[in-house]
Amino acid sequence: MPTYKAPLREYRFLLRDTFNIEQYSALPGFKDAPLDVVDQILDEAAKLAEDVLQPLNQIGDREGCKLENGVVTTPKGFKEAYKTLVEGGWPALVADPAYGGQGLPNALGVIFNEMVSSANMAFGMYPGLSHGAYSALLHHGTDEQRKTYLPKLVSGEWTGTMNLTEPQCGTDLGLLRTKAVPQADGSYKITGTKIFISAGEHDLAENILHLVLARVEGAPAGIKGISLFLVPKFLVKEDGTLGARNGVSCGALEHKMGIHGNATAVLNYDEATGWLVGEREKGMRAMFTMMNEARLGVGLQGLSQSEVAYQNALAYAKDRLQGRSLTGAKEPAKPADPIIVHPDVRRMLLDAKSFNEGARALLVWTALHGDLSHASGDAQVRETGDDMMALLTPVVKGYLTDRGFANAVESQQVYGGHGYIEENGVSQFVRDARIAMIYEGANGIQALDLVGRKLAANGGRGVFAFFKLIDDFIAANKDDKLAPFTAPLAAARKDLEAATTWFMENALQNPDNAGAGSVDYLHLFGITSVAYMWALMAKAALAKLSTGDDKAFYETKLKTARYFVERILPETATHLLRIRNGAAPLMAFSQDDF
Amino acid sequence: MPTYKAPLREYRFLLRDTFNIEQYSALPGFKDAPLDVVDQILDEAAKLAEDVLQPLNQIGDREGCKLENGVVTTPKGFKEAYKTLVEGGWPALVADPAYGGQGLPNALGVIFNEMVSSANMAFGMYPGLSHGAYSALLHHGTDEQRKTYLPKLVSGEWTGTMNLTEPQCGTDLGLLRTKAVPQADGSYKITGTKIFISAGEHDLAENILHLVLARVEGAPAGIKGISLFLVPKFLVKEDGTLGARNGVSCGALEHKMGIHGNATAVLNYDEATGWLVGEREKGMRAMFTMMNEARLGVGLQGLSQSEVAYQNALAYAKDRLQGRSLTGAKEPAKPADPIIVHPDVRRMLLDAKSFNEGARALLVWTALHGDLSHASGDAQVRETGDDMMALLTPVVKGYLTDRGFANAVESQQVYGGHGYIEENGVSQFVRDARIAMIYEGANGIQALDLVGRKLAANGGRGVFAFFKLIDDFIAANKDDKLAPFTAPLAAARKDLEAATTWFMENALQNPDNAGAGSVDYLHLFGITSVAYMWALMAKAALAKLSTGDDKAFYETKLKTARYFVERILPETATHLLRIRNGAAPLMAFSQDDF
């Protein structure tokens, strides 16, 4: 049976020692969460994740969701767990106090979400999707919409969904056909079919707010004709109570490779009543508010499965006796050594461990920049925050989910044949992690967003600011003890800059040169960013080591940093070589050549 | 619905143009299969795979095997398909004519098996395991055992299994507890529990021959006390007909991530009657005969899933309309371009295509060397054949299954969200492919076999012979047109030699230095071997191009070779860097540090 322990010590190290969030204690949001309060919140969140959500994870996988007569039943225990979540006030954690939220920084929000997702990824998607709907309404809804719907989303009494995909229309939303017909009262009648709607129908909450992309009758074809609508499952009466059932129904649930506990619905809209959110034909703008938020949330899913898979593989590797160390028996009294003595088993574990800790730092760092982009009183800090959030979002989504999945696979490998048996639970981590590489923009799309949009934004301001952050850190930390981490970071940063320059010189004349190297570039960016995080963490660990407390923790931190530098950073060389080989090796093929 | 077409054109290119197997037409085995006969055999095999086995693949996944009252039922249609296989004489393809076999080269056998496995991997394991049992009996059984059992295995009337694993004993067979008690009549009573027994119990054949590792009462502990036994499900009477049911029963079937159509059994031996195969306490030797054969067979499973996943992803990529080419609409009359116009989609497809064709060449090349190690009249050719077979077996097993799985995952990615839906079938390729990295010696064990055993064997004779083959080829082919393939091959070979030298210099003093770099080395070896195959194929393609026939096929071959060279070969740099960083980054951790 798999288990999960929230990595509370790691969170404290990041928030206190590495990012020193107390420096922001005067800012809105941060001032409501001094470190002792943060500790309490994280302790309580860990209990929720470990005691309530994790025990339901395998049950969710085995039972899945059921659709009978239009009614979707979630797996046993999910309803009670959701009630516990709502009663704990967790959906309000980072929401606006004006609507009942606690207004805490999203740097805390992503930490909470990592715990929930490690414990039960399929469950975590129900409140996760609500938060995307919350953001869209907060930023684009009318005052009345906000007043009517946000408190219910913030409390978790109602949940939300994002409705983009249709059978003929995935990445290319310009192809969508769902139509909206204006009514005399200002509402619209929405008709069409949406597929792959996560948390699309369920029994956890009394109402579901569907945010639906559709085309108003007569609007232009393509992406420019799209508007965003709010379509509640139950219409809401003037007094805020629930009225009639709206014309939206669940036509089917998908049979998926994983996340069985989450209902992935086909939703049929048949003249359902909806209201415009934001401006007509500006639906994409409003949708991107939801999606950008969701992308960090998906990135952390990759990390979350890597973390929980690692924890279980580690326990197995310490427990499983098989063979002897290559350098002589380590536990001669036992019939064999635990397999953790073998270098190759350590490789698989440390690939995950060094990623988990570095990727978590990157996630929190990115969310923190997002927080600062709103909360800081300094315009330069706000701009950098915004730039880093925009630049790193596709990196966090793509790199964390690609590597998170790969680490879950390696953790499964640690188990040998036992990893292939469903009862042992690690196969579920692999199957669940797989979706994170696909949804909210497949990772190839993230890579195109990075090279096609984010690099060029504001004349490259973001990427140059990122390089400068690294350069400034290296220049300010000429400490010999840090050199084993800053020197390789400088080398990786150089590879990343070389790749960036190559795109600038070669992609304008032929955009396929950007497309061909985009996923390599995303990984090169991810590796370099995580190496930067490891340099920051190494510095923090060295500082703490000099004070003498909890030595083992900080020494291990340095060992893990070293592992990342010596075993993961060498990948940059391959990525750069591939990028520089350009589009020709791919585009030389006619369609018939394949 | 997924489909499969056997790559017959590819097989012909390999056998005729690349390896010119007609040069061996005087040798035993080869002389029974002139090229026109080979063509007929492959055409018939393709029909079996495409028309009989592939349509059952998804059914097998969905239904799985069922155990009721000790009786295992295979999925609907498997029994009839197995009958068709037997009636076609396929189990006899490469078996010894002395026992009813057709005696054809294993170079053909692996091609047949690739087709079967691409069409239905779970099904292919039933005859696949039989062949392992056949080999063990052929090489280690008594005359009487051979006479009694081999004709039935060769005809396929009976099937076979390999029984190694026990709950406490996987890789480390020295821990096994199943015991054998000698009886007065020369037989043994076998008692114990075996797990993870593929094809361990089923309804396809009237008898199952279990080859079981056990320890004779009083034998030494550890690996040296192990003997191999034959334990038939039904005892065989003197006249060859079936007698009493033996004391072996199926206690449970495992619930697995994939290969649901194959019955993975827990087998309980309760004083079952068995007979020694080979010498007492030399069971490991006999077992290795089965396992080495099985390892090539598992390597091809990795290739097989990469091939069928690629075929389906390719069809999807040509069919799915979404977005526009970065360089302007390619099919402006359609609402969007097919996604194959996008460089990153091509990357995923070409990673698989360039691997499939190169890995297939390596598989056939390795099997051919195995054939020559028996069939050649030239002692030097036999020795090289033996050396190459031994050296490349762990490479084929490890590299082909690691990359095969990775390619199945990339093919799934081409499908976007539709790849995560079970009905579309590509998830099954991923789930099925996953086991091949684990069983028959997890890939980490293959890597240790390579660096710990195969490199050192006969003073490094094998690896130096391999380098010499490459050097001789490069020296003999100074053609400018080949330079784009031979120059990078020379560079990769240099990296591989550098890594080999590094092990020789650093692993004796500290074997963990070999363990830490072993999987990187296996991949470095795999990439270099496949680059060698691409150089051979490029040469063959250039020769055929000059004759003017079927130009498009050969030109595509060169494009695919170029893709491998420019996009996959750059990985050698990373592997070498990691290997040279040695064991320290891994071994610095105490067990508590993790």
Side-chain angles (χ1 to χ4, degrees):
Chain A
M1 280 284 293
T3 59
Y4 172 65
K5 283 296 276 184
L8 293 171
R9 182 72 187 83
E10 298 294 330
Y11 297 136
R12 276 199 283 272
F13 171 68
L14 288 178
L15 295 174
R16 273 187 169 72
D17 307 334
T18 309
F19 300 132
N20 180 24
I21 64 160
E22 280 194 305
Q23 66 184 300
Y24 309 117
S25 61
L27 300 184
F30 293 90
K31 70 171 183 287
D32 305 316
L35 280 176
D36 57 333
V37 174
V38 167
D39 280 343
Q40 285 172 27
I41 292 173
L42 297 186
D43 286 349
E44 287 304 310
K47 280 184 207 160
L48 176 78
E50 294 167 6
D51 302 341
V52 178
L53 303 182
Q54 194 277 334
L56 300 176
N57 193 40
Q58 269 195 303
I59 295 172
D61 186 55
R62 216 150 34 214
E63 285 192 10
C65 295
K66 286 181 187 63
L67 170 66
E68 277 177 331
N69 306 318
V71 176
V72 171
T73 313
T74 53
K76 196 178 153 192
F78 272 43
K79 206 169 169 171
E80 294 72 20
Y82 188 78
K83 194 159 171 264
T84 305
L85 180 94
V86 168
E87 286 171 358
W90 294 108
L93 195 66
V94 303
D96 190 333
Y99 305 100
Q102 298 173 39
L104 296 183
N106 197 37
L108 273 189
V110 293
I111 286 175
F112 172 73
N113 287 335
E114 187 208 330
M115 288 190 251
V116 169
S117 188
S118 279
N120 195 325
M121 180 168 150
F123 178 91
M125 293 169 67
Y126 293 103
L129 270 296
S130 296
H131 200 77
Y134 157 86
S135 291
L137 286 175
L138 182 72
H139 294 108
H140 304 281
T142 62
D143 279 348
E144 202 195 323
Q145 284 171 344
R146 283 199 286 241
K147 223 178 58 192
T148 308
Y149 299 104
L150 287 184
K152 295 291 194 178
L153 283 175
V154 169
S155 70
E157 286 165 274
W158 299 351
T159 68
T161 71
M162 296 166 56
N163 286 235
L164 292 79
T165 306
E166 301 177 8
Q168 80 294 345
C169 143
T171 298
D172 186 356
L173 289 167
L175 299 174
L176 78 77
R177 292 183 192 150
T178 296
K179 68 172 185 200
V181 181
Q183 306 296 303
D185 65 354
S187 73
Y188 290 78
K189 292 285 182 209
I190 313 287
T191 300
T193 297
K194 294 290 182 177
I195 63 169
F196 299 165
I197 309 308
S198 297
E201 178 57 59
H202 58 78
D203 55 0
L204 302 184
E206 54 183 9
N207 202 8
I208 304 176
L209 303 179
H210 301 295
L211 282 154
V212 184
L213 287 187
R215 200 185 300 279
V216 178
E217 239 183 357
I223 202 82
K224 290 188 181 135
I226 295 173
S227 306
L228 180 65
F229 296 90
L230 169 69
V231 185
K233 175 177 167 184
F234 288 98
L235 297 173
V236 180
K237 293 194 278 197
E238 295 242 331
D239 64 358
T241 61
L242 297 186
R245 177 78 192 245
N246 205 346
V248 49
S249 60
C250 176
L253 294 181
E254 303 288 357
H255 304 105
K256 309 183 297 292
M257 186 180 183
I259 52 165
H260 297 162
N262 200 275
T264 306
V266 175
L267 291 184
N268 296 319
Y269 291 85
D270 183 12
E271 302 206 330
T273 300
W275 289 272
L276 194 63
V277 176
E279 289 176 61
R280 205 151 127 169
E281 291 164 28
K282 300 282 184 211
M284 290 307 294
R285 239 182 77 206
M287 209 62 187
F288 268 113
T289 304
M290 293 167 66
M291 285 184 52
N292 273 330
E293 176 137 353
R295 283 172 177 184
L296 275 197
V298 173
L300 71 81
Q301 289 182 330
L303 164 62
S304 77
Q305 296 310 291
S306 178
E307 170 67 30
V308 69
Y310 165 75
Q311 288 189 14
N312 284 278
L314 174 60
Y316 188 84
K318 288 181 174 181
D319 184 59
R320 175 75 168 172
L321 305 178
Q322 207 77 184
R324 289 293 183 191
S325 163
L326 295 172
T327 55
K330 291 286 172 286
E331 305 200 14
K334 293 184 177 169
D337 287 337
I339 60 173
I340 198 170
V341 304
H342 302 302
D344 191 60
V345 171
R346 288 171 169 242
R347 172 188 65 82
M348 297 188 277
L349 292 171
L350 290 169
D351 279 358
K353 179 180 171 67
S354 66
F355 166 85
N356 293 344
E357 297 174 18
R360 181 179 295 120
L362 183 63
L363 174 72
V364 173
W365 184 88
T366 304
L368 194 54
H369 276 91
D371 290 326
L372 294 175
S373 76
H374 303 300
S376 178
D378 179 331
Q380 182 57 50
V381 173
R382 284 201 305 276
E383 182 184 286
T384 302
D386 212 37
D387 285 348
M388 291 306 103
M389 178 75 179
L391 183 68
L392 270 306
T393 292
V395 176
V396 167
K397 198 284 184 182
Y399 181 64
L400 267 60
T401 60
D402 275 357
R403 286 303 321 166
F405 173 75
N407 290 329
V409 170
E410 284 197 342
S411 295
Q412 183 183 32
Q413 191 75 10
V414 170
Y415 277 76
H418 298 273
Y420 203 63
I421 306 302
E422 289 293 355
E423 280 79 354
N424 295 323
V426 68
S427 160
Q428 184 187 353
F429 303 141
V430 172
R431 292 185 289 98
D432 286 0
R434 183 68 186 88
I435 189 59
M437 297 155 73
I438 300 173
Y439 61 15
E440 298 310 321
N443 285 356
I445 300 298
Q446 303 300 326
L448 280 184
D449 177 45
L450 178 64
V451 301
R453 203 173 295 150
K454 300 300 173 63
L455 282 190
N458 306 305
R461 192 179 71 198
V463 69
F464 291 118
F466 179 75
F467 287 144
K468 188 166 181 316
L469 283 176
I470 295 179
D471 294 341
D472 289 351
F473 177 82
I474 294 172
N477 292 279
K478 294 271 179 210
D479 181 353
D480 278 357
K481 284 188 176 158
L482 261 182
F485 312 107
T486 50
L489 169 62
R493 176 229 172 280
K494 212 177 137 202
D495 282 352
L496 181 61
E497 187 172 34
T500 310
T501 307
W502 193 90
F503 281 140
M504 288 174 177
E505 287 168 357
N506 294 279
L508 269 181
Q509 61 182 62
N510 179 6
D512 282 339
N513 277 326
S518 56
V519 162
D520 278 292
Y521 186 79
L522 183 145
H523 276 255
L524 180 51
F525 215 119
I527 295 166
T528 307
S529 309
V530 171
Y532 175 36
M533 295 299 117
W534 271 117
L536 295 176
M537 290 192 282
K539 181 183 175 178
L542 285 168
K544 296 299 287 187
L545 270 173
S546 67
T547 70
D549 230 21
D550 206 358
K551 263 187 145 44
F553 178 84
Y554 298 108
E555 274 164 2
T556 300
K557 206 48 87 187
L558 294 176
K559 292 176 191 173
T560 313
R562 181 184 173 191
Y563 184 89
F564 190 86
V565 159
E566 298 203 14
R567 301 280 314 190
I568 309 299
L569 267 193
E571 292 173 15
T572 62
T574 293
H575 291 305
L576 181 58
L577 284 166
R578 277 207 287 245
I579 289 165
R580 283 178 165 161
N581 284 337
L586 297 84
M587 305 314 288
F589 290 78
S590 77
Q591 287 192 32
D592 290 337
D593 287 342
F594 280 84
Chain B
M1 280 286 291
T3 58
Y4 172 66
K5 282 298 276 184
L8 293 171
R9 182 72 187 84
E10 297 295 329
Y11 297 136
R12 276 199 282 271
F13 171 67
L14 287 178
L15 296 175
R16 275 186 165 73
D17 307 333
T18 310
F19 300 131
N20 180 23
I21 66 161
E22 280 194 304
Q23 67 184 299
Y24 309 118
S25 62
L27 301 183
F30 293 89
K31 70 169 183 286
D32 306 315
L35 280 176
D36 57 334
V37 173
V38 167
D39 280 342
Q40 286 172 25
I41 292 172
L42 296 185
D43 286 348
E44 288 304 310
K47 282 183 206 160
L48 176 78
E50 295 167 4
D51 302 341
V52 178
L53 303 182
Q54 194 277 334
L56 300 176
N57 194 39
Q58 268 196 305
I59 295 171
D61 186 56
R62 218 152 31 215
E63 285 192 10
C65 295
K66 286 180 188 62
L67 171 66
E68 276 176 333
N69 306 318
V71 176
V72 171
T73 313
T74 53
K76 195 176 154 193
F78 271 43
K79 206 168 168 170
E80 294 72 19
Y82 188 78
K83 194 158 171 266
T84 305
L85 180 94
V86 169
E87 286 172 358
W90 294 107
L93 193 67
V94 303
D96 190 334
Y99 305 100
Q102 298 173 41
L104 296 183
N106 197 36
L108 274 189
V110 293
I111 287 175
F112 172 74
N113 287 334
E114 187 208 330
M115 289 189 250
V116 168
S117 189
S118 279
N120 195 327
M121 178 167 150
F123 178 90
M125 293 169 67
Y126 292 102
L129 270 296
S130 296
H131 199 76
Y134 157 87
S135 292
L137 286 175
L138 182 72
H139 294 109
H140 303 281
T142 62
D143 280 348
E144 200 193 323
Q145 285 171 342
R146 285 198 284 242
K147 223 179 55 191
T148 308
Y149 300 106
L150 286 183
K152 295 292 193 179
L153 283 174
V154 169
S155 70
E157 288 165 272
W158 300 350
T159 68
T161 71
M162 296 165 56
N163 287 235
L164 292 77
T165 306
E166 301 177 9
Q168 79 295 343
C169 143
T171 298
D172 185 355
L173 289 168
L175 299 174
L176 79 76
R177 292 184 192 147
T178 297
K179 69 172 184 199
V181 181
Q183 305 296 305
D185 66 352
S187 73
Y188 291 78
K189 292 284 183 211
I190 313 288
T191 300
T193 298
K194 294 289 183 179
I195 65 170
F196 299 164
I197 309 307
S198 297
E201 179 56 58
H202 58 77
D203 55 359
L204 302 183
E206 54 182 11
N207 203 7
I208 304 176
L209 304 178
H210 302 295
L211 283 154
V212 184
L213 287 187
R215 199 183 301 278
V216 178
E217 237 183 0
I223 202 83
K224 290 187 181 136
I226 296 174
S227 306
L228 180 65
F229 296 91
L230 170 69
V231 185
K233 175 178 168 184
F234 287 98
L235 296 173
V236 179
K237 291 193 281 198
E238 295 240 333
D239 64 358
T241 61
L242 296 185
R245 176 77 192 244
N246 205 346
V248 49
S249 60
C250 176
L253 293 181
E254 302 289 357
H255 304 105
K256 309 183 298 291
M257 186 180 183
I259 52 164
H260 297 162
N262 200 275
T264 306
V266 175
L267 290 185
N268 296 318
Y269 291 85
D270 184 10
E271 301 207 330
T273 299
W275 290 271
L276 193 64
V277 177
E279 288 177 62
R280 203 150 129 171
E281 292 166 26
K282 300 281 185 213
M284 291 306 295
R285 238 182 77 205
M287 209 62 187
F288 269 113
T289 305
M290 294 168 65
M291 285 184 52
N292 273 331
E293 175 136 354
R295 283 172 176 184
L296 275 197
V298 174
L300 71 81
Q301 289 182 329
L303 164 62
S304 77
Q305 296 310 291
S306 178
E307 170 67 30
V308 68
Y310 165 75
Q311 288 189 14
N312 284 278
L314 174 60
Y316 188 84
K318 288 181 174 180
D319 184 61
R320 174 77 169 171
L321 305 178
Q322 207 77 184
R324 289 293 182 191
S325 163
L326 295 172
T327 54
K330 292 288 172 284
E331 305 199 15
K334 293 185 177 169
D337 287 338
I339 60 173
I340 198 169
V341 304
H342 303 302
D344 191 61
V345 170
R346 288 171 169 243
R347 172 187 64 82
M348 297 188 277
L349 292 171
L350 290 169
D351 279 359
K353 179 180 170 66
S354 66
F355 166 85
N356 294 345
E357 297 174 18
R360 182 178 294 122
L362 183 63
L363 174 73
V364 173
W365 184 88
T366 304
L368 195 55
H369 277 90
D371 290 326
L372 294 175
S373 77
H374 304 300
S376 177
D378 179 330
Q380 182 57 50
V381 172
R382 284 201 305 276
E383 181 184 286
T384 302
D386 213 35
D387 285 348
M388 292 306 104
M389 178 77 179
L391 183 68
L392 271 305
T393 291
V395 175
V396 167
K397 198 284 185 182
Y399 182 65
L400 268 59
T401 60
D402 275 357
R403 287 304 321 166
F405 173 74
N407 290 330
V409 170
E410 284 196 340
S411 295
Q412 184 183 31
Q413 191 75 11
V414 170
Y415 277 76
H418 298 273
Y420 203 63
I421 307 301
E422 288 293 355
E423 279 80 353
N424 294 323
V426 68
S427 161
Q428 183 187 353
F429 304 140
V430 172
R431 291 185 289 96
D432 286 358
R434 183 66 186 87
I435 189 59
M437 297 155 74
I438 299 174
Y439 62 17
E440 298 310 321
N443 286 355
I445 300 299
Q446 303 300 326
L448 280 183
D449 177 47
L450 178 64
V451 300
R453 203 173 295 148
K454 299 301 172 63
L455 283 191
N458 306 305
R461 192 179 72 199
V463 69
F464 291 118
F466 180 74
F467 288 144
K468 189 166 182 314
L469 284 176
I470 294 179
D471 293 341
D472 290 351
F473 177 82
I474 294 173
N477 292 279
K478 294 269 177 212
D479 180 353
D480 278 356
K481 284 186 177 159
L482 262 182
F485 313 107
T486 49
L489 169 63
R493 176 230 173 278
K494 211 176 137 202
D495 282 352
L496 180 62
E497 187 171 37
T500 310
T501 307
W502 192 90
F503 282 139
M504 288 174 177
E505 288 168 358
N506 294 280
L508 270 181
Q509 61 182 64
N510 179 8
D512 283 338
N513 277 326
S518 56
V519 163
D520 278 293
Y521 186 80
L522 183 145
H523 277 256
L524 180 51
F525 215 119
I527 294 165
T528 307
S529 310
V530 171
Y532 175 36
M533 294 300 116
W534 272 117
L536 295 177
M537 291 192 283
K539 181 185 175 177
L542 285 168
K544 295 300 287 186
L545 270 173
S546 67
T547 69
D549 229 19
D550 207 359
K551 263 187 146 45
F553 178 84
Y554 297 108
E555 274 165 2
T556 300
K557 207 47 88 185
L558 294 176
K559 292 176 191 173
T560 312
R562 180 181 173 193
Y563 184 89
F564 190 86
V565 159
E566 298 203 16
R567 299 282 311 191
I568 308 298
L569 267 192
E571 292 173 15
T572 62
T574 293
H575 291 305
L576 181 58
L577 284 166
R578 276 208 287 246
I579 289 165
R580 283 177 165 162
N581 284 336
L586 297 84
M587 304 315 287
F589 291 77
S590 77
Q591 286 192 31
D592 291 337
D593 287 343
F594 279 84

